[in-house]
Amino acid sequence: MTLFSRTLRCQAAFRRFPVELSSPGAPGTFNNIRKLSQTFSRTSCRAPVEAVAVRGKMNNNNYPLDYSRGGIKEFNQRFLDSAARGDLAEISGLLGAVDINVKSERGWTALMFAARNGQTHVISILIERGCDVNCLNASGQTALEIARFWNHSEAASVLSQHKQGVEFDQIHNYFSLNPLYRASEMRKDTAGLQAAKNNMSTKFVLFSDQKPFLLRSEEPSRKYKFAVFNINQLGTELLERGTVIFLGLETWDPDSNAWFAVDIKEELSDIGPKFFPEGKYATPFPVTMQMEPTQAGIFAEAHSVLCWLDKYKFCSTCGSATKIAEGGYKRVCQNWECSSNKGVQNTCYPRVDPSLIMLVVSPDKKDCLLGRQKRFPPKMYSCLAGFMEPGECLEDTCRREVEEESGIKVGRVDYHSSQPWPFPAVLMLGCIAYARTSALKCSKPYPQVDTSELEEARWFSRAEVAQMLAGQHPHGLYVPPGEAIAHQLIKSWVASSFSNL
Ligand SMILES: NC(=O)C1=CN([C@@H]2O[C@H](COP(=O)(O)OP(=O)(O)OC[C@H]3O[C@@H](n4cnc5c(N)ncnc54)[C@H](O)[C@@H]3O)[C@@H](O)[C@H]2O)C=CC1
Ligand SMILES: [Mg+2]
Ligand SMILES: [Mg+2]
Ligand SMILES: [Mg+2]
Ligand SMILES: [Zn+2]
């Protein structure tokens, strides 16, 4: 399925939501559903009792009461019902007896009922026990879509962290697959963080001057992974001399393992090879493009925050020294009179620089514009990109940067996907931009492109780009690897334009 047909399908699915989701058990018309939805409150729903043989035996709350006649149908119904109610004890008791992916007549699983009512703990347990998060109900909705529709953001967040397939409505780029739950609520708990650091199960990843300490990955398609240390190996003295940041917990369970990153100065760096002689400190780019994807996500968080802590040591308001707080996610000015200590100030928190990256499609939609920055390796072409400026919306930046760099005027801009680019803390916002003009003529006094930025830019046919993607271009031209969002934008356009032929 192409990007664009998938987008349309998702939009269509979203338009269906208010009807389909208001009454999971109700077949029939919108009016039926409206009537039924009056009996459900907007914030809760029960599993419909369609599968129950004991329909007559209800209590005042309309829950099935009597399962004494046994039978799998009753167990299934009870299971769905307890997921909707968030009854963890009952779910745990039934898990061995029922199919975890059992569906109601309308195709709703226990995960979907839990998502409908924002039962986050139930969702976590079901996922942990291996339920299928990609199941679709009779209306084609996933549990994630249901949680999003009913504004259960915590539940949606848990579900989106466990996306397992490609059938989600979003594209997940490399560096965005950090599996940790950041547990920001723990950052202010200094004693709790200290206790977590001293816990033997806690995991530490190591950096020296912001260079990650890496081992060879056993995964055949990946080259690197983090070396993971424990407190006994690193020792409390080393932690005190380094910069330590709290990355999060392994799951939403507050008792799950905590992860920290430690950045040490070169003179202490022997500690890495002492425990992992085969490991090495690596200059992050491009080595971290070859990490295991979830580890690359952890690297993105750790590296961006560690670089910020290293480069912003002094208060940008008064110039005084600052102190690291909140697990590394804040810097506090030590001058108590400083206005940065009054109210919430963005100078105290880690910076992220939003940047646009766009695949520009020609007015006849047959070609796309690719360029070469001077620093690119020979024969590599990529999308144009540029930093957002204050007061711009995404579309403004896209149109300005394309015109500045190539002279091409852009009309419509479609958002595609995003990617953290942790060198040191850029957020790439990927777009497909539809050109209104095709003549390359830069506004600056250069012949075709802004040569302060680009060496060359030109239109490429879809067939030529397909060859570049496949590594089969007759002149050896190629595009960035799959880990770069540029590759995903180019690939999406090629796939969609071929399917539209
Ligand atoms: N993930 C990917 O596939 C790709 C990522 N990128 C990244 O996109 C970013 C922006 O692309 P460019 O063409 O370099 O931007 P650009 O076209 O705005 O030009 C860069 C220049 O803008 C100025 N600038 C303005 N704000 C800046 C900021 N916050 N940080 C640094 N420089 C700033 C500097 O003078 C810099 O030389 C870069 O970090 C680049 O590494 C670029 C292409 C592909
Ligand atoms: Mg530019
Ligand atoms: Mg640029
Ligand atoms: Mg710029
Ligand atoms: Zn200050």
Side-chain angles (χ1 to χ4, degrees):
M1 186 182 298
T2 67
L3 163 72
F4 301 106
S5 60
R6 185 166 54 208
T7 307
L8 285 176
R9 194 186 64 125
C10 293
Q11 282 168 358
F14 187 77
R15 278 197 298 273
R16 286 202 310 269
F17 267 5
V19 174
E20 304 286 1
L21 292 183
S22 29
S23 61
T29 63
F30 181 68
N31 277 342
N32 278 349
I33 287 159
R34 253 224 313 249
K35 251 185 258 158
L36 263 166
S37 63
Q38 284 161 6
T39 63
F40 293 119
S41 83
R42 199 184 142 81
T43 50
S44 70
C45 108
R46 292 167 192 148
V49 285
E50 76 240 349
V52 187
V54 288
R55 225 178 228 286
K57 301 186 179 179
M58 301 286 169
N59 65 7
N60 288 340
N61 293 326
N62 215 23
Y63 288 118
L65 278 179
D66 181 359
Y67 300 98
S68 55
R69 280 194 276 167
I72 193 67
K73 270 192 171 178
E74 284 85 343
F75 279 114
N76 288 346
Q77 180 58 52
R78 221 166 118 185
F79 183 59
L80 297 179
D81 212 11
S82 52
R85 279 185 286 112
D87 187 338
L88 267 182
E90 182 155 23
I91 286 175
S92 307
L94 286 165
L95 265 170
V98 299
D99 172 3
I100 197 165
N101 295 316
V102 65
K103 288 182 166 183
S104 74
E105 274 177 10
R106 295 279 294 159
W108 281 57
T109 60
L111 188 71
M112 292 173 189
F113 283 112
R116 164 63 183 83
N117 288 344
Q119 310 288 10
T120 310
H121 291 304
V122 175
I123 291 169
S124 300
I125 293 282
L126 292 170
I127 291 174
E128 205 180 292
R129 298 293 290 267
C131 77
D132 182 357
V133 296
N134 293 332
C135 268
L136 299 178
N137 66 14
S139 310
Q141 292 128 3
T142 62
L144 174 60
E145 288 169 332
I146 292 166
R148 280 197 186 133
F149 176 75
W150 291 99
N151 289 318
H152 297 305
S153 53
E154 202 188 352
S157 172
V158 175
L159 285 160
S160 64
Q161 283 176 34
H162 290 87
K163 58 230 168 203
Q164 287 164 353
V166 289
E167 284 308 302
F168 275 85
D169 59 343
Q170 284 177 347
I171 291 157
H172 297 283
N173 291 305
Y174 192 77
F175 288 125
S176 71
L177 294 162
N178 184 349
L180 300 180
Y181 162 54
R182 292 187 183 219
S184 56
E185 70 280 5
M186 283 176 64
R187 290 179 193 153
K188 284 190 177 137
D189 179 2
T190 315
L193 287 184
Q194 191 54 47
K197 281 183 206 163
N198 292 330
N199 186 323
M200 262 301 287
S201 309
T202 293
K203 298 180 179 173
F204 293 87
V205 293
L206 185 64
F207 290 71
S208 177
D209 294 321
Q210 298 96 57
K211 289 187 184 138
F213 186 72
L214 301 179
L215 302 175
R216 283 266 154 193
S217 167
E218 292 91 34
E219 281 189 24
S221 60
R222 311 309 307 173
K223 281 200 178 152
Y224 304 107
K225 64 176 184 180
F226 275 118
V228 179
F229 296 81
N230 65 36
I231 184 65
N232 279 3
Q233 290 167 322
L234 295 182
T236 46
E237 194 198 321
L238 183 126
L239 295 195
E240 273 156 27
R241 291 176 67 186
T243 302
V244 185
I245 59 172
F246 174 56
L247 298 174
L249 300 176
E250 260 166 34
T251 71
W252 282 67
D253 178 351
D255 293 328
S256 65
N257 294 334
W259 282 60
F260 288 84
V262 191
D263 194 16
I264 50 176
K265 292 283 159 218
E266 202 185 339
E267 62 263 24
L268 297 172
S269 63
D270 286 350
I271 191 85
K274 180 178 168 192
F275 290 100
F276 298 95
E278 70 284 19
K280 66 170 187 181
Y281 295 98
T283 301
F285 189 84
V287 164
T288 53
M289 302 273 278
Q290 299 173 66
M291 288 179 83
E292 295 173 12
T294 51
Q295 296 246 317
I298 295 173
F299 164 79
E301 178 186 2
H303 189 246
S304 293
V305 177
L306 289 174
C307 287
W308 173 71
L309 289 170
D310 185 64
K311 301 285 183 311
Y312 289 74
K313 289 185 177 131
F314 297 94
C315 173
S316 58
T317 305
C318 76
S320 304
T322 58
K323 193 175 156 211
I324 297 174
E326 297 189 14
Y329 273 80
K330 189 169 183 182
R331 271 197 174 278
V332 180
C333 180
Q334 295 301 90
N335 165 15
W336 302 119
E337 300 303 313
C338 177
S339 62
S340 75
N341 283 322
K342 300 183 174 76
V344 176
Q345 306 292 337
N346 69 353
T347 54
C348 303
Y349 295 97
R351 303 288 75 216
V352 177
D353 295 325
S355 168
L356 262 284
I357 179 159
M358 43 269 168
L359 185 74
V360 183
V361 178
S362 63
D364 65 6
K365 308 225 176 12
K366 289 186 175 161
D367 300 321
C368 74
L369 184 71
L370 299 178
R372 276 187 48 73
Q373 290 183 12
K374 288 175 196 159
R375 59 180 177 81
F376 280 4
K379 301 191 179 189
M380 190 181 93
Y381 285 78
S382 187
C383 301
L384 304 192
F387 287 102
M388 287 189 94
E389 293 190 357
E392 280 184 328
C393 66
L394 186 149
E395 293 84 350
D396 289 337
T397 311
C398 179
R399 294 188 187 112
R400 176 183 52 74
E401 284 286 348
V402 173
E403 191 161 359
E404 278 176 9
E405 295 185 10
S406 70
I408 304 268
K409 290 188 187 297
V410 162
R412 181 185 164 136
V413 177
D414 282 351
Y415 173 73
H416 177 276
S417 62
S418 65
Q419 175 176 53
W421 193 244
F423 310 106
V426 179
L427 172 65
M428 306 300 302
L429 300 161
C431 295
I432 307 284
Y434 294 92
R436 290 195 286 113
T437 61
S438 54
L440 285 151
K441 191 170 173 297
C442 180
S443 55
K444 291 193 183 169
Y446 297 107
Q448 284 212 301
V449 294
D450 175 358
T451 49
S452 61
E453 272 236 32
L454 298 179
E455 190 175 84
E456 188 198 350
R458 71 172 174 90
W459 295 106
F460 287 80
S461 71
R462 148 179 81 219
E464 196 174 3
V465 179
Q467 289 175 328
M468 290 161 84
L469 275 167
Q472 291 170 347
H473 190 277
H475 304 302
L477 307 188
Y478 66 100
V479 296
E483 289 80 6
I485 188 173
H487 181 103
Q488 303 305 331
L489 292 170
I490 295 166
K491 197 164 100 181
S492 288
W493 174 70
V494 169
S496 70
S497 53
F498 269 125
S499 70
N500 289 340
L501 275 178

